[in-house]
């Protein structure tokens, strides 16, 4: 059943969605000019704004910084009290003001003009103080606000946020910024975990449990126990991985186990993975095969083991 609250929510969301459609339809060559201005910068994008525009500016700066475009938010009031020193002639200033008349931006705008620092603006009024001074101005359609009275920034901030995302992603695509690059800037949290590579989580070096084909099972059991992974890899005289011994293999050869060699007990041609694969792929393989670990081999065709990754390592960082 609809309620007045639900009606309000639907009206607000639909009005903002309609505004985004209008914004997309009205984008023109100035957007290309804005992207080129940002691409030509040898420094950072200095994003600034006051009030609600300031909150949106912080998010735009954060999105750019995490997608390959060095960016920093500078509070315009703090800029007037010394933080102008953060801005260099190599930077580009992205100033945001719906009205284009925020007095707090004045000193920063003047500073950019004085030192010939490129100025990109987002505003809804081309003839405003900000609009007139910009090298490139991106205009927001004048569509009012979702409150109906024009006093609560909502439609305007939603359009500004979307426009900032559009700039960041256009820059990202031009630079061929990959998910792996994103992970370098965003190693924490769920996104960082999803973009982890096998090489980030695998055990390597002396930690890898390995025995040779001719190793007696008594010694193989010691290796399994000492390395505590519940498995051991079996290598030939060249050091190539040719098999694996798991708990299942031990159970199948329990009768007379200590009389066997590793080659008699192992499962040949084990499932492996390359170090550059996403850890999520390793999880999918282990879950599909109902196994708990994978040996890691060089993707260039070598069969020498580089590491071992376990399902527990992936679960520890939030995968699975």
């Amino acid at each position: 059943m609809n309620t007045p609250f639900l009606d309000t929510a639907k009206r607000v969301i639909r009005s903002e969605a309609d505004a985004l459609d209008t914004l997309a339809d009205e984008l023109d060559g100035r957007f290309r000019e804005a992207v080129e201005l940002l691409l030509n910068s040898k420094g950072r994008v200095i994003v600034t704004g006051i009030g609600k525009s300031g909150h949106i500016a912080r998010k735009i700066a954060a999105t750019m910084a995490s997608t390959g475009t060095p960016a920093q938010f500078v509070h315009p009031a703090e800029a007037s009290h010394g933080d102008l020193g953060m801005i260099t002639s190599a930077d580009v200033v992205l100033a945001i003001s719906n009205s284009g008349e925020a007095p707090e931006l004045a000193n920063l705008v003047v500073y950019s003009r004085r030192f010939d620092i490129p100025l990109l603006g987002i505003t809804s009024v081309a003839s405003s103080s900000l609009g007139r001074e910009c090298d490139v101005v991106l205009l927001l359609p004048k569509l009012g606000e979702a409150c109906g009275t024009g006093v609560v920034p909502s439609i305007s901030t939603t359009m500004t946020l979307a426009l900032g995302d559009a700039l960041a992603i256009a820059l990202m695509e031009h630079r061929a910024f990959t998910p792996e690059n994103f992970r370098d800037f965003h190693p924490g949290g769920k996104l960082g975990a999803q973009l982890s590579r096998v090489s980030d989580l695998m055990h390597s070096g002396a930690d890898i449990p390995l025995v040779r084909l001719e190793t007696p099972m008594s010694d193989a059991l010691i290796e399994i126990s000492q390395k505590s992974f519940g498995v051991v890899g079996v290598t030939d005289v060249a050091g190539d991985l040719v098999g694996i011994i798991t708990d299942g293999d031990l159970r199948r050869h329990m009768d007379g186990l200590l009389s066997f060699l590793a080659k008699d007990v192992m499962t040949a041609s084990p499932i492996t993975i390359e170090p550059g694969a996403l850890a999520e792929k390793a999880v999918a393989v282990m879950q599909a095969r109902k196994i708990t670990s994978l040996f890691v081999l060089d993707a260039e065709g070598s069969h020498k083991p580089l590491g071992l990754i376990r399902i527990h390592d992936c679960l520890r960082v939030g995968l699975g």
Side-chain angles (χ1 to χ4, degrees):
M1 178 181 295
N2 284 353
T3 67
F5 303 123
L6 189 56
D7 290 339
T8 298
K10 290 182 178 181
R11 186 190 76 242
V12 169
I13 292 171
R14 284 171 178 152
S15 63
E16 294 191 357
D18 290 342
L20 291 178
D21 285 337
T22 301
L23 174 64
D25 290 340
E26 294 190 6
L27 285 180
D28 55 22
R30 285 173 294 190
F31 185 83
R32 175 183 51 78
E33 294 173 7
V35 173
E36 290 175 349
L37 187 70
L38 296 171
L39 284 172
N40 290 332
S41 169
K42 303 301 182 183
R44 299 158 300 162
V45 180
I46 304 300
V47 194
T48 189
I50 196 72
K52 305 300 184 295
S53 293
H55 294 303
I56 299 299
R58 287 181 185 275
K59 195 277 180 185
I60 292 173
T63 299
M64 287 184 172
S66 68
T67 53
T69 299
Q72 176 182 342
F73 173 79
V74 172
H75 195 288
E78 296 295 338
S80 298
H81 292 274
D83 283 0
L84 284 173
M86 296 181 180
I87 308 172
T88 74
S89 58
D91 298 330
V92 173
V93 174
L94 169 54
I96 302 170
S97 171
N98 186 38
S99 68
E101 299 295 347
E104 294 85 356
L105 291 176
N107 288 336
L108 202 153
V109 170
V110 169
Y111 184 84
S112 73
R113 304 299 77 189
R114 178 181 178 187
F115 292 98
D116 200 26
I117 299 170
L119 177 62
L120 168 62
I122 297 179
T123 181
S124 64
V125 185
S127 60
S128 64
S129 300
L130 175 62
R132 292 194 306 270
E133 295 295 335
C134 288
D135 297 296
V136 179
V137 61
L138 295 177
L139 289 176
L140 301 173
K142 294 182 181 180
L143 300 174
E145 303 291 0
C147 62
T149 62
V151 299
V152 180
S154 46
I155 287 177
S156 60
T157 50
T158 297
M159 289 192 296
T160 304
L161 181 60
L163 195 51
D165 286 342
L167 287 170
I169 293 173
L171 293 166
M172 179 185 77
E173 291 183 353
H174 178 83
R175 295 185 169 113
F177 194 82
T178 66
E180 288 76 14
N181 298 138
F182 183 86
R183 195 253 171 190
D184 292 337
F185 294 130
H186 199 292
K190 184 67 173 177
L191 283 174
Q194 290 174 338
L195 295 171
S196 295
R197 300 182 189 217
V198 168
S199 58
D200 297 324
L201 302 180
M202 72 182 189
H203 302 269
S204 60
D207 291 335
I208 309 174
L210 295 171
V211 296
R212 292 292 179 88
L213 282 166
E214 304 297 329
T215 300
M217 279 307 300
S218 57
D219 292 338
L221 288 172
I222 292 174
E223 181 75 357
I224 293 173
S225 176
Q226 287 180 341
K227 299 298 173 64
S228 302
F229 294 132
V231 298
V232 65
V234 182
T235 60
D236 61 15
V237 292
D240 292 338
L241 185 75
V242 293
I244 186 173
I245 298 174
T246 67
D247 288 341
D249 296 313
L250 296 178
R251 288 193 296 271
R252 284 187 289 273
H253 295 83
M254 188 62 69
D255 188 17
L257 178 64
L258 297 182
S259 66
F260 294 124
L261 300 178
K263 66 181 181 181
D264 303 320
V265 177
M266 74 179 193
T267 296
S269 303
I271 302 165
T272 61
I273 197 165
E274 64 274 11
L278 289 177
E280 276 199 325
K281 178 182 177 182
V283 172
V285 171
M286 286 187 275
Q287 290 178 337
R289 299 297 184 118
K290 295 182 170 53
I291 56 179
T292 59
S293 59
L294 289 170
F295 274 91
V296 183
L297 303 185
D298 193 338
E300 299 302 320
S302 168
H303 293 285
K304 291 180 171 53
L306 300 178
L308 177 75
I309 186 169
R310 303 176 302 161
I311 191 71
H312 309 80
D313 302 316
C314 300
L315 294 174
R316 176 172 46 82
V317 298
L319 295 174

